[in-house]
Amino acid sequence: MDKAKILVIDDDPICTSMILALLGDDYLVLTANSGDGAIEVLSSMKPDLVFVDITMPDVNGYQVIKYMKEHELTQHVPVVVISSLTEESDQKLALKIGADEYLTKPILPNTVQLTVDKYLDGV
């Protein structure tokens, strides 16, 4: 059985490395360190789950979410925001444009695993 694919989009190598270390044995974890890189990956493959940061240079996380929700290949993929932005307005905007969940940094390893279990149960 193929491993479920998780795409982690974050320009913070510490966050990306932590998620990769936590999930890399059980899932195929792909990373993109920019919104541009993420869109390139998303144009050719459909992950089973996406973690995305909001604050990135050039193309931000909001733009990545909008891209995903506008394209047939990725519009139904669950999107979990992991961001240092803690304002309620940031959370509301992310959820309004299509994010399924909004988690704030720093994120605990247990939270990452619980979130994956929630969205990939049975995948």
Side-chain angles (χ1 to χ4, degrees):
M1 185 171 162
D2 288 339
K3 291 182 177 183
K5 295 182 286 289
I6 298 173
L7 177 60
V8 180
I9 309 161
D10 198 330
D11 61 338
D12 176 358
I14 294 170
C15 185
T16 304
S17 297
M18 188 260 299
I19 294 173
L20 185 59
L22 282 171
L23 304 175
D25 289 342
D26 299 319
Y27 302 94
L28 176 58
V29 180
L30 305 162
T31 62
N33 62 4
S34 69
D36 284 334
I39 288 173
E40 190 174 311
V41 170
L42 290 165
S43 68
S44 62
M45 65 87 70
K46 178 185 172 189
D48 297 295
L49 176 64
V50 170
F51 286 103
V52 62
D53 185 20
I54 295 298
T55 310
M56 294 182 288
D58 300 323
V59 175
N60 67 36
Y62 295 126
Q63 292 165 301
V64 172
I65 296 167
K66 284 181 186 177
Y67 172 89
M68 289 181 65
K69 298 306 171 181
E70 291 171 356
H71 290 82
E72 190 174 338
L73 180 66
T74 56
Q75 65 186 0
H76 298 295
V77 173
V79 178
V80 177
V81 172
I82 299 179
S83 180
S84 57
L85 300 176
T86 59
E87 295 295 321
E88 186 176 346
S89 59
D90 297 311
Q91 295 178 26
K92 282 184 176 179
L93 177 58
L95 296 171
K96 180 179 178 182
I97 62 174
D100 294 278
E101 195 161 339
Y102 194 103
L103 305 173
T104 55
K105 292 180 181 177
I107 187 164
L108 300 173
N110 189 43
T111 303
V112 172
Q113 189 61 60
L114 289 171
T115 303
V116 169
D117 292 346
K118 176 179 176 179
Y119 291 103
L120 296 183
D121 184 36
V123 173

